[in-house]
Amino acid sequence: MKREVHKAVVRGKIISVARKLFLAQGYQKTKMRQIKDAAGVEIGTIYHFYQSKEDIFEKIVLEAFFRVLERTSRFAEGNKLLHLACELSWHVHTMAQHAPSAELYLMSYNSPDIAAQLLINQIERSKDVFGDRFSDRTDEDYKIYAMCARGLMQSISLQAVSGTLTEPDLTAHKCIQLLLKMMDTPQEETKTILEALAKLDIPEKVAGVLG
């Protein structure tokens, strides 16, 4: 039992220091030896738990997306459409406010393995948000929707990295409008969602978390 606890602590330490390094200096500039030194472990220990730097990165990315999902759920108060809007807005404003994060987002969407997992997660997320509204939507419908959502976020991350994401709030709102329209959400309901989103001041909340 103690051995398993120790392994979990070491894995957590590796992930924690790698996350800090990635956010502070970006993925490309972070070297495995830096992770090793910061975690206070041998390089062989890292490779015992993770196959590569990208393997570590994938773990961090998936955890980060889950944390955003969990954090934004508190603002939505059970409204699934508002939760979706909060989630998307959070991602956009994180990219706009923090350049290293924007780089990590772009790398996530450009990595075949990570992008594939994110797509699977997005399909399930779409089913959760819209599944109780439609009985005739197929898995392929949700897959196409998820692919469109992923494409939008990948484009936004590219804008953020290139410094052309100049109006993140407008970008987030337009994306939300488009994604809700794709799922036949009435215009009046979409308007209500966007009004509720504006009152939550997601940019300020993101700034508070980024510190």
Side-chain angles (χ1 to χ4, degrees):
M1 182 65 177
K2 289 183 179 180
R3 184 181 180 85
E4 292 305 312
V5 171
H6 175 70
K7 287 182 178 180
V9 170
V10 173
R11 283 197 300 268
K13 181 73 171 180
I14 292 169
I15 290 296
S16 177
V17 300
R19 182 188 301 112
K20 291 177 182 177
L21 287 168
F22 290 157
L23 289 173
Q25 60 190 31
Y27 177 86
Q28 299 292 356
K29 291 182 179 179
T30 300
K31 308 302 180 184
M32 288 293 272
R33 59 176 174 76
Q34 292 179 301
I35 298 174
K36 171 188 79 71
D37 293 342
V41 299
E42 298 298 324
I43 194 70
T45 301
I46 296 180
Y47 283 113
H48 174 73
F49 293 114
Y50 303 101
Q51 296 179 7
S52 62
K53 186 172 73 169
E54 184 172 5
D55 191 22
I56 296 173
F57 181 53
E58 180 175 355
K59 176 74 173 177
I60 291 171
V61 167
L62 296 178
E63 285 185 353
F65 274 84
F66 178 78
R67 282 199 305 274
V68 170
L69 187 63
E70 186 179 55
R71 181 178 285 120
T72 53
S73 69
R74 304 169 195 165
F75 311 141
E77 299 182 347
N79 186 318
K80 291 185 177 181
L81 294 187
L82 179 56
H83 187 190
L84 178 66
C86 289
E87 181 187 358
L88 190 148
S89 181
W90 190 282
H91 289 308
V92 172
H93 284 287
T94 299
M95 287 186 263
Q97 294 182 31
H98 194 244
S101 290
E103 180 203 351
L104 299 184
Y105 272 99
L106 182 58
M107 289 201 61
S108 301
Y109 290 118
N110 287 343
S111 165
D113 290 340
I114 298 175
Q117 185 58 54
L118 291 175
L119 181 61
I120 291 171
N121 293 352
Q122 184 60 56
I123 291 171
E124 293 305 311
R125 179 89 177 94
S126 302
K127 288 180 179 179
D128 177 61
V129 173
F130 299 105
D132 57 352
R133 289 175 167 246
F134 307 105
S135 59
D136 59 342
R137 297 297 164 96
T138 65
D139 287 348
E140 189 63 22
D141 290 330
Y142 287 112
K143 180 180 178 180
I144 295 299
Y145 175 84
M147 288 171 65
C148 291
R150 175 191 172 280
L152 283 171
M153 296 306 293
Q154 184 176 22
S155 297
I156 292 169
S157 66
L158 181 58
Q159 279 189 305
V161 169
S162 65
T164 58
L165 181 58
T166 55
E167 297 184 85
D169 214 41
L170 178 62
T171 297
H173 278 225
K174 290 296 184 181
C175 288
I176 292 165
Q177 285 179 311
L178 177 60
L179 292 174
L180 293 184
K181 185 176 182 179
M182 285 178 63
M183 283 299 184
D184 298 324
T185 306
Q187 288 187 357
E188 193 60 36
E189 187 174 10
T190 297
K191 180 181 176 182
T192 300
I193 292 298
L194 291 175
E195 288 173 349
L197 177 66
K199 293 177 181 179
L200 291 171
D201 198 2
I202 296 297
E204 183 66 27
K205 289 179 168 61
V206 169
V209 171
L210 292 175

